[in-house]
Amino acid sequence: MIVDDHNNDTIAEISDAEKDFVHRLIELYSDDHLTKEDVKALIMNVFTGGTETTAVAMEWAMSEIARSPRVMQKLQDEVRRCTGRIRKVNELDITNMTYLKMVVKEAMRLHSPAPWFPHECTSHCQVGGYDVFPGTTAVINAWAIAKDPSTWGDNADDFYPERFENVDVDYGGGSFEMVTFGGGRRSCPAMNTAPATVELVIANLLYWFDWELPDGLKNEDLDMEEEDSIIIDP
Ligand code: HEM
């Protein structure tokens, strides 16, 4: 259906700037670089890997902000200061919002949207003194890694965005203290765009609205229990 909507015949009439992800895939298919099955699988990858994860990251970040009046006030001050008198926060404003980036990173540290992911070992190696043989599935527990007190200290379970003022850890795949987007060759291709999306939405919502919990609910009473699955929902 999606592939049919992007009818091959019309691609030649579309400018490069207007071409989307599916147009590019169809071009590669037409050049014999991909099969139709590859195209369908890649589209499914983006839908399944890209929608729920980002939505859940946003929900957790909003919940943590709503639960912490101190963080909300500091963040809202930054968003309004960096945005000025315009109608909408844009990507350029976000580049100056250092606290926002720390808040989103801290929310993703505490609540890895993809808590674990499997990798198959292709050659014999040793991990922590254990032999791992080819064909073995190793499960990377991103959830636990990001909460390890030996890395993150005694307040590892607390939502404290300021910790990133002194910790040079990023989710770019190079810091094994936090592997929210995986690492290496199979790491998430959206490791830069996904946080940017969350930042943009939160900045706009805080710019325009003062947030409150519903029905007089107290901050400490907000239910932060996680629902266990392949994606951790609030
Ligand atoms: C907060 C949002 C997201 C999180 C936390 C996340 C996390 C992850 C993780 C942990 C992996 C597996 C890495 C590994 O196996 O080492 C992955 C893979 C992947 N993600 Fe994301 N992701 C997010 C958003 C997105 C978005 C928006 C897209 C696409 C638009 C996307 C597309 C993919 C794809 C295609 C893969 C498979 C990469 C491969 O196997 O080569 N993800 N993601």
Side-chain angles (χ1 to χ4, degrees):
M1 168 87 178
I2 294 173
V3 178
D4 293 341
D5 281 351
H6 289 68
N7 193 317
N8 204 4
D9 301 338
T10 59
I11 290 187
E13 296 157 22
I14 301 173
S15 74
D16 265 1
E18 283 172 318
K19 282 181 190 158
D20 63 25
F21 176 62
V22 180
H23 289 128
R24 297 289 180 193
L25 291 179
I26 292 173
E27 280 177 344
L28 289 169
Y29 165 60
S30 314
D31 292 349
D32 283 340
H33 283 97
L34 296 176
T35 65
K36 196 161 186 179
E37 292 311 306
D38 292 335
V39 172
K40 283 199 249 170
L42 283 161
I43 293 170
M44 275 308 286
N45 248 358
V46 170
F47 272 115
T48 49
T51 47
E52 185 76 359
T53 44
T54 313
V56 156
M58 227 170 273
E59 276 181 65
W60 279 118
M62 289 176 73
S63 305
E64 288 290 2
I65 295 165
R67 225 162 61 107
S68 171
R70 179 192 72 83
V71 171
M72 176 152 32
Q73 192 56 60
K74 188 170 167 182
L75 184 55
Q76 197 170 43
D77 288 349
E78 179 185 76
V79 170
R80 292 185 176 165
R81 190 178 62 248
C82 294
T83 303
R85 294 169 64 86
I86 54 161
R87 290 181 160 267
K88 200 170 116 187
V89 185
N90 62 35
E91 286 87 348
L92 205 61
D93 302 314
I94 302 275
T95 54
N96 297 319
M97 298 181 191
T98 46
Y99 192 56
L100 172 65
K101 289 177 193 304
M102 288 192 260
V103 168
V104 170
K105 199 191 283 186
E106 176 70 339
M108 289 212 210
R109 181 190 69 82
L110 266 186
H111 308 282
S112 295
W116 53 267
F117 33 91
H119 277 237
E120 188 180 306
C121 182
T122 51
S123 57
H124 179 207
C125 62
Q126 281 207 324
V127 179
Y130 291 92
D131 283 305
V132 183
F133 295 101
T136 309
T137 299
V139 174
I140 291 107
N141 189 340
W143 185 93
I145 290 170
K147 290 194 183 69
D148 185 349
S150 66
T151 305
W152 298 99
D154 292 341
N155 67 352
D157 288 332
D158 297 344
F159 180 67
Y160 183 62
E162 284 79 359
R163 74 175 73 245
F164 287 107
E165 284 170 354
N166 306 314
V167 177
D168 189 20
V169 168
D170 211 347
Y171 20 49
S175 311
F176 292 126
E177 298 89 342
M178 186 174 162
V179 286
T180 315
F181 293 93
R185 276 189 297 178
R186 306 316 299 229
S187 61
C188 179
M191 62 172 67
N192 293 315
T193 50
T197 307
V198 178
E199 287 160 13
L200 191 64
V201 171
I202 287 178
N204 271 291
L205 288 175
L206 269 176
Y207 180 75
W208 284 106
F209 302 102
D210 296 328
W211 302 1
E212 269 176 25
L213 296 178
D215 307 324
L217 193 71
K218 289 194 192 125
N219 304 322
E220 59 273 23
D221 293 339
L222 187 65
D223 184 359
M224 299 295 278
E225 199 167 322
E226 298 172 335
E227 250 181 48
D228 190 19
S229 91
I230 184 112
I231 307 276
I232 294 196
D233 285 295

